[in-house]
Amino acid sequence: DGGITQSPKYLFRKEGQNVTLSCEQNLNHDAMYWYRQDPGQGLRLIYYSQIVNDFQKGDIAEGYSVSREKKESFPLTVTSAQKNPTAFYLCASSMFQGGSGQPQHFGDGTRLSIL
Amino acid sequence: KQEVTQIPAALSVPEGENLVLNCSFTDSAIYNLQWFRQDPGKGLTSLLLIQSSQREQTSGRLNASLDKSSGRSTLYIAASQPGDSATYLCAVEGGKLIFGQGTELSVKP
């Protein structure tokens, strides 16, 4: 079955620790995205990537880092510089990026909490 | 800066009722508008995508309309069922997706 797999489902971070959230897709999509969702708020874009080895900052990139070494994978690292990391993190992908009329497909999310 | 607003924030209706969810946006320069469904603790499922040149899209009991000039979209759900209970989000794309805060729908048996 084609889709997007995010892992782990739940993650806990200690003070000063970096943690990495995994996102893998087998849809052969070019573009991938990371969003953050806080209670009562819509999704906000953290980073996005249109092609391998290239990525762009979204609206709230501070305290986060990404890599895109393979088309299928777009891991997100939440660094110790992100002072309020508790949120629901969603990964998405689409055939192309921006204005293509292609819908974004989402994973089931990772819930990150502070210990 | 594009802003997307959804009203109401929450809605509770009896089973079988027809209902309308509203979405408004401030910048009409969009490529498309999408409606998503989100179940608790889950990701988003794309329901309908309306291109900027289109006026509406239909899928089963769902119908979404788009009026770019007024910056509005509606999602019409016919003959609502308890299984429709979820949060519905709209998002506009003008290079990137900008989301509204969602409408939490509860359909009572």
Side-chain angles (χ1 to χ4, degrees):
Chain A
D1 247 25
I4 300 176
T5 302
Q6 290 189 241
S7 63
K9 190 171 178 65
Y10 300 96
L11 187 58
F12 299 91
R13 196 192 87 168
K14 296 179 181 178
E15 288 287 336
Q17 185 182 42
N18 294 351
V19 292
T20 297
L21 285 62
S22 171
C23 178
E24 304 277 333
Q25 55 98 359
N26 60 4
L27 299 167
N28 199 31
H29 284 171
D30 294 298
M32 297 187 74
Y33 315 81
W34 274 106
Y35 294 92
R36 170 181 172 138
Q37 186 176 32
D38 294 281
Q41 297 191 35
L43 280 68
R44 292 181 291 169
L45 182 64
I46 305 173
Y47 268 98
Y48 64 97
S49 168
Q50 301 179 59
I51 58 172
V52 174
N53 292 323
D54 184 59
F55 47 83
Q56 307 294 330
K57 292 182 179 179
D59 299 317
I60 54 166
E62 185 174 350
Y64 300 98
S65 67
V66 293
S67 63
R68 187 86 187 275
E69 297 177 1
K70 298 187 300 182
K71 186 176 184 178
E72 303 79 19
S73 179
F74 192 40
L76 173 74
T77 296
V78 184
T79 74
S80 57
Q82 172 50 245
K83 298 306 179 188
N84 184 24
T86 297
F88 190 48
Y89 290 85
L90 287 160
C91 178
S93 70
S94 66
M95 188 70 74
F96 304 107
Q97 190 273 337
S100 66
Q102 297 292 323
Q104 291 189 15
H105 299 260
F106 283 79
D108 276 344
T110 293
R111 189 164 299 279
L112 176 62
S113 303
I114 293 291
L115 278 179
Chain B
K1 179 186 172 186
Q2 178 75 269
E3 293 182 2
V4 181
T5 304
Q6 290 186 248
I7 295 173
L11 181 63
S12 182
V13 301
E15 182 177 3
E17 193 163 294
N18 301 327
L19 59 99
V20 174
L21 306 182
N22 296 293
C23 173
S24 62
F25 48 95
T26 55
D27 186 349
S28 62
I30 63 171
Y31 297 129
N32 59 63
L33 182 144
Q34 281 186 253
W35 282 95
F36 293 90
R37 169 184 172 137
Q38 185 176 30
D39 292 294
K42 295 289 190 180
L44 277 62
T45 300
S46 181
L47 298 173
L48 291 164
L49 183 149
I50 311 176
Q51 305 285 5
S52 62
S53 58
Q54 296 175 322
R55 296 284 292 183
E56 65 177 339
Q57 281 286 340
T58 298
S59 176
R61 294 182 293 109
L62 305 180
N63 176 276
S65 68
L66 173 63
D67 184 343
K68 271 181 48 176
S69 60
S70 67
R72 293 182 183 177
S73 175
T74 61
L75 179 66
Y76 175 83
I77 302 177
S80 58
Q81 302 170 358
D84 294 330
S85 298
T87 296
Y88 291 81
L89 295 125
C90 72
V92 297
E93 182 170 21
K96 59 183 179 181
L97 276 184
I98 305 296
F99 285 83
Q101 295 176 328
T103 294
E104 186 176 354
L105 174 65
S106 175
V107 181
K108 306 293 187 185

